[in-house]
Amino acid sequence: MTGDTPARAAHKHSHVKADGRMLYLYGWRPHDQRATEEIAPAPTPRPYRRWHPFRREWVTYAAHRQTRTFKPPPEYCPLCPTKVGGVAGEIPFTDFDVAVFQNRFPAFHHDAPDGPDLPVLPVPTATANGACEVVVFTAAHQGGLAGLTQDRRELLVHAWTDRYSALLAQDGVEFVLPFENRGEEVGVTLHHPHGQIYAFPFVPPVQQSAVDTFREGPALARLLDRLGATYVVCQNGGMIAFVPPFARFPYEVWIAPKRAVPGPWAFAPAEVVDYAALLGEVAARYDALFDRPFPYIMSLHAAPKGEEATFHFHTQFYPPLRTADKLKYLAGVEQAAGAFLMDALPEDTAAQLRSVAVR
Amino acid sequence: MTGDTPARAAHKHSHVKADGRMLYLYGWRPHDQRATEEIAPAPTPRPYRRWHPFRREWVTYAAHRQTRTFKPPPEYCPLCPTKVGGVAGEIPFTDFDVAVFQNRFPAFHHDAPDGPDLPVLPVPTATANGACEVVVFTAAHQGGLAGLTQDRRELLVHAWTDRYSALLAQDGVEFVLPFENRGEEVGVTLHHPHGQIYAFPFVPPVQQSAVDTFREGPALARLLDRLGATYVVCQNGGMIAFVPPFARFPYEVWIAPKRAVPGPWAFAPAEVVDYAALLGEVAARYDALFDRPFPYIMSLHAAPKGEEATFHFHTQFYPPLRTADKLKYLAGVEQAAGAFLMDALPEDTAAQLRSVAVR
């Protein structure tokens, strides 16, 4: 099944921005453009962490983010290509395929200070060592995962894989989270198709729970075995998209490789193709569901460092919509107790997403 | 300090609604009105729980909530008093002080079924035994905690205490959460001042973490000792309001009794007065901050059943605003990893809330 597809190799062009931040351009062909205009340097990031003794979790403070001086002119997108002599964006090239650059206001930083510039705090603090990167899916300002070509989505998977490899190798990084916030409903103001990558100096609570479960046994493989047709949205040779029977959002969807692999870096060439295809198909079904660009939070759940033997990679989509124009709010019960309430049954939403007409 | 204030006793009038749901009217004087019109009966609730094996938490499904037939006419509030011959609301009396009634569409129910009407699910399920109640603060349609009289807020504390006592005694209930969602920003469509109470058949994740911490030592008492003036918003003899040094929301505020008590049921009479006063003052400071009704999620964190010896009661306010008109969104990092990021420093927001002019 996975042996017939030849592996593709992406080209990567590394560029140091004017303020020292790294920019990587990924493409199927080599990149040979010269840099155009560079934006003004960013302030030095000084993020750090404080311990929440009652939730037993880290809260990351990046107060420098408040002092943002970079305000793009209206109608101007910092993720679009920068024309020669034009207004400088984050990507000083006239064209690109997939671009990744270090976030201007990172919550985690490879050179973060040990603690705050403050008198002694009544709670433990720690360095916010790590990384925050922005992943731009295309030079085109409009669209989304569904509108990208299959070729481009495969390139995106290659870019994620490269970042996983580089960031997991960075000193102190324990977990790497690529994600996409899409739509104003989840707070996005920049509509250019893009995602982000956070490299954490700790295993976050959600991933630690999954680690604990995977250490006990192959829970996701067992779930896939028992899903039946009821929960499946769509599938191909290597991947399956489904509404989890324990969904916390009405149209929550997960994409998982049928073979238990710890992350995209372990995909066979055919699995890269199948994963890129199912990312596009799930996004297309979402957009078709209410005939509008569908907002969601998408996140890639790969193995934290050292958990590769048991962790089964998967991608989770959390859409905030209950209907075409009604939001699911996270209020008292969800926020104050951490307990989710659901009106919609996964069996029903899976059937809806399965039956929607795409393409 | 707490010995001079005489204890007050609230009157409670119990009423069985037309569909069998209970309604309780609390007042400083006895209630002697006759019931007016009753609304149509609610469908039988059939909530149940499913286990999320990767987050290791329960998700509660209440699919009957989708089939709501009760649609109040526009401009009509189901929490306002019901006039004789008028449109029936949830409270069939022409006036009341504080009213509590069983929620028409409960996510937890004292007679919940053992599981879903479904073929075998690929995850464990459990009964959603428990209770959901609505707490109406006043017969007046407008306002909030700050606008209530001190007398009324004290009555509200008595009502909460009575519900704690009744619900913690209910079979299978492990934890009781009174809370208030306020403002459209947190999804509230009913502006009549009210809160809710959820009685859970399990200790939710947030409270389990706090339980674990309190079992290790008096973490909140130690924190109060070390707060200094930096984090304090306001205080009186028995209570202190502060921005926690590990705040997850820019204007997060906690109110705690200076004496470690497990819940409002253990308050001395003076502590009831002080707690009611500080609830009003925090709400007033919030409303004054941006000169607008301030949205928030308020939650009361009392001891789960059996944890009374170590748990230190406190109240948490989570406001969704970063500025007068900018929301803090919970997106990829918060939702997919459970890790909170903060731009604003607790030291700064505490100073802002301390200096705002009230009354």
Side-chain angles (χ1 to χ4, degrees):
Chain A
M1 175 188 80
T2 58
D4 296 339
T5 310
R8 300 177 77 180
H11 292 274
K12 175 184 177 183
H13 175 81
S14 299
H15 170 80
V16 183
K17 288 158 65 75
D19 55 11
R21 285 182 294 140
M22 292 304 300
L23 167 70
Y24 310 103
L25 301 179
Y26 297 87
W28 293 125
R29 286 164 304 171
H31 183 92
D32 57 4
Q33 297 170 36
R34 305 190 61 171
T36 56
E37 318 304 316
E38 297 270 5
I39 55 171
T44 306
R46 299 191 56 82
Y48 65 96
R49 289 181 276 155
R50 300 182 182 190
W51 182 245
H52 191 313
F54 302 98
R55 287 185 182 250
R56 301 163 87 92
E57 66 188 31
W58 289 108
V59 182
T60 304
Y61 289 80
H64 61 280
R65 287 161 60 104
Q66 282 187 304
T67 65
R68 304 181 191 197
T69 49
F70 174 61
K71 293 207 176 167
E75 306 302 306
Y76 160 78
C77 171
L79 306 185
C80 277
T82 301
K83 291 191 175 59
V84 179
V87 182
E90 285 283 12
I91 304 163
F93 294 96
T94 55
D95 195 19
F96 59 87
D97 295 327
V98 169
V100 176
F101 61 86
Q102 293 181 315
N103 198 311
R104 193 172 176 84
F105 300 101
F108 298 103
H109 185 58
H110 61 85
D111 196 24
D114 278 346
D117 282 334
L118 272 175
V120 176
L121 281 169
V123 286
T125 61
T127 173
N129 207 358
C132 290
E133 299 185 338
V134 177
V135 182
V136 188
F137 299 167
T138 165
H141 184 69
Q142 303 285 346
L145 279 180
L148 299 180
T149 61
Q150 167 70 10
D151 204 52
R152 178 59 55 84
R153 281 192 302 262
E154 290 179 27
L155 181 63
L156 177 60
V157 179
H158 278 268
W160 280 332
T161 299
D162 181 69
R163 301 320 302 146
Y164 268 122
S165 160
L167 293 170
L168 284 168
Q170 184 179 313
D171 193 37
V173 168
E174 294 294 329
F175 174 69
V176 173
L177 179 78
F179 64 96
E180 179 192 3
N181 296 331
R182 187 188 192 211
E184 293 181 10
E185 291 86 349
V186 296
V188 175
T189 50
L190 227 50
H191 297 293
H192 194 121
H194 73 287
Q196 298 182 59
I197 300 175
Y198 270 51
F200 292 84
F202 57 92
V203 180
V206 171
Q207 282 69 33
Q208 187 57 54
S209 283
V211 159
D212 293 345
T213 289
F214 283 124
R215 282 180 182 170
E216 291 169 9
L220 184 50
R222 270 193 219 124
L223 178 69
L224 297 183
D225 279 347
R226 300 183 57 194
L227 270 187
T230 313
Y231 300 98
V232 177
V233 173
C234 49
Q235 58 182 311
N236 54 29
M239 300 283 151
I240 184 163
F242 60 99
V243 178
F246 41 82
R248 295 155 66 251
F249 293 87
Y251 294 97
E252 182 169 343
V253 168
W254 291 21
I255 299 176
K258 295 177 179 178
R259 193 171 67 99
V261 295
W265 60 82
F267 281 169
E271 286 170 324
V272 172
V273 175
D274 288 349
Y275 179 55
L278 233 50
L279 281 177
E281 180 163 352
V282 167
R285 286 178 182 276
Y286 274 154
D287 286 350
L289 185 64
F290 298 132
D291 195 23
R292 53 161 287 188
F294 197 78
Y296 58 71
I297 297 164
M298 176 191 75
S299 53
L300 275 63
H301 295 244
K305 203 178 272 177
E307 301 296 334
E308 296 81 1
T310 58
F311 206 99
H312 188 154
F313 172 73
H314 56 286
T315 300
Q316 303 185 5
F317 289 83
Y318 308 150
L321 293 182
R322 294 194 293 129
T323 66
D325 53 9
K326 275 200 187 132
L327 286 174
K328 175 187 173 75
Y329 285 92
L330 305 187
V333 179
E334 289 84 0
Q335 303 242 28
F340 271 63
L341 309 176
M342 282 284 286
D343 290 354
L345 291 178
E347 295 75 25
D348 298 339
T349 53
Q352 268 184 277
L353 287 167
R354 200 162 47 231
S355 66
V356 81
V358 281
R359 269 171 300 242
Chain B
M1 175 187 80
T2 58
D4 296 338
T5 310
R8 301 178 76 181
H11 292 274
K12 175 183 176 183
H13 174 81
S14 299
H15 171 80
V16 183
K17 286 157 66 73
D19 55 10
R21 286 181 293 141
M22 292 305 300
L23 165 71
Y24 310 103
L25 300 179
Y26 297 88
W28 294 124
R29 286 166 303 172
H31 184 93
D32 56 4
Q33 295 171 39
R34 304 190 61 173
T36 55
E37 318 304 317
E38 297 270 4
I39 54 171
T44 307
R46 299 191 56 81
Y48 66 96
R49 290 180 274 155
R50 299 182 182 190
W51 182 247
H52 191 312
F54 302 99
R55 288 185 180 249
R56 301 163 86 94
E57 67 189 29
W58 289 108
V59 182
T60 303
Y61 289 80
H64 61 280
R65 288 161 60 105
Q66 280 187 308
T67 64
R68 303 182 191 197
T69 49
F70 175 59
K71 292 207 176 166
E75 306 301 307
Y76 161 77
C77 171
L79 306 185
C80 277
T82 300
K83 291 190 176 60
V84 178
V87 181
E90 285 282 11
I91 304 163
F93 294 97
T94 55
D95 196 18
F96 60 88
D97 295 327
V98 169
V100 176
F101 61 85
Q102 293 181 314
N103 197 311
R104 192 173 176 83
F105 300 100
F108 298 103
H109 185 58
H110 61 85
D111 196 23
D114 277 347
D117 283 335
L118 271 175
V120 177
L121 281 169
V123 287
T125 61
T127 173
N129 207 358
C132 290
E133 298 184 340
V134 177
V135 182
V136 188
F137 300 166
T138 165
H141 184 70
Q142 302 285 345
L145 280 180
L148 300 180
T149 62
Q150 168 68 13
D151 204 52
R152 177 60 55 84
R153 280 191 302 262
E154 290 178 27
L155 182 62
L156 178 60
V157 178
H158 278 268
W160 280 331
T161 299
D162 181 69
R163 300 322 301 147
Y164 268 122
S165 160
L167 294 170
L168 284 168
Q170 184 179 314
D171 192 38
V173 167
E174 295 294 329
F175 174 70
V176 173
L177 179 78
F179 64 96
E180 180 193 2
N181 296 331
R182 187 186 193 214
E184 293 182 9
E185 291 85 350
V186 296
V188 175
T189 51
L190 227 49
H191 297 293
H192 194 120
H194 73 287
Q196 299 182 59
I197 300 177
Y198 270 51
F200 291 86
F202 57 93
V203 180
V206 170
Q207 282 70 31
Q208 187 57 53
S209 283
V211 160
D212 293 345
T213 289
F214 283 123
R215 282 180 183 171
E216 291 170 8
L220 184 50
R222 270 193 218 122
L223 178 69
L224 297 182
D225 279 346
R226 301 182 58 193
L227 270 187
T230 314
Y231 300 98
V232 177
V233 173
C234 51
Q235 59 181 310
N236 54 29
M239 300 283 151
I240 184 163
F242 60 98
V243 177
F246 42 82
R248 296 153 66 250
F249 293 87
Y251 294 98
E252 182 169 342
V253 168
W254 291 20
I255 299 177
K258 295 176 181 179
R259 193 171 68 99
V261 295
W265 60 81
F267 281 169
E271 286 169 325
V272 172
V273 175
D274 288 349
Y275 180 55
L278 234 51
L279 281 177
E281 180 164 352
V282 167
R285 287 180 181 274
Y286 274 154
D287 286 350
L289 184 64
F290 298 132
D291 195 23
R292 54 160 287 188
F294 197 77
Y296 57 71
I297 296 164
M298 177 190 75
S299 53
L300 275 63
H301 297 242
K305 202 176 273 178
E307 301 296 333
E308 296 81 3
T310 57
F311 206 99
H312 189 153
F313 172 73
H314 57 286
T315 299
Q316 304 185 4
F317 288 83
Y318 309 149
L321 294 182
R322 292 194 294 130
T323 66
D325 54 8
K326 274 199 187 133
L327 287 173
K328 175 187 173 73
Y329 285 92
L330 306 186
V333 179
E334 289 85 359
Q335 302 242 29
F340 271 63
L341 309 176
M342 283 284 286
D343 290 356
L345 291 178
E347 296 75 26
D348 297 339
T349 54
Q352 269 184 276
L353 287 167
R354 200 162 48 233
S355 65
V356 81
V358 281
R359 271 172 298 241

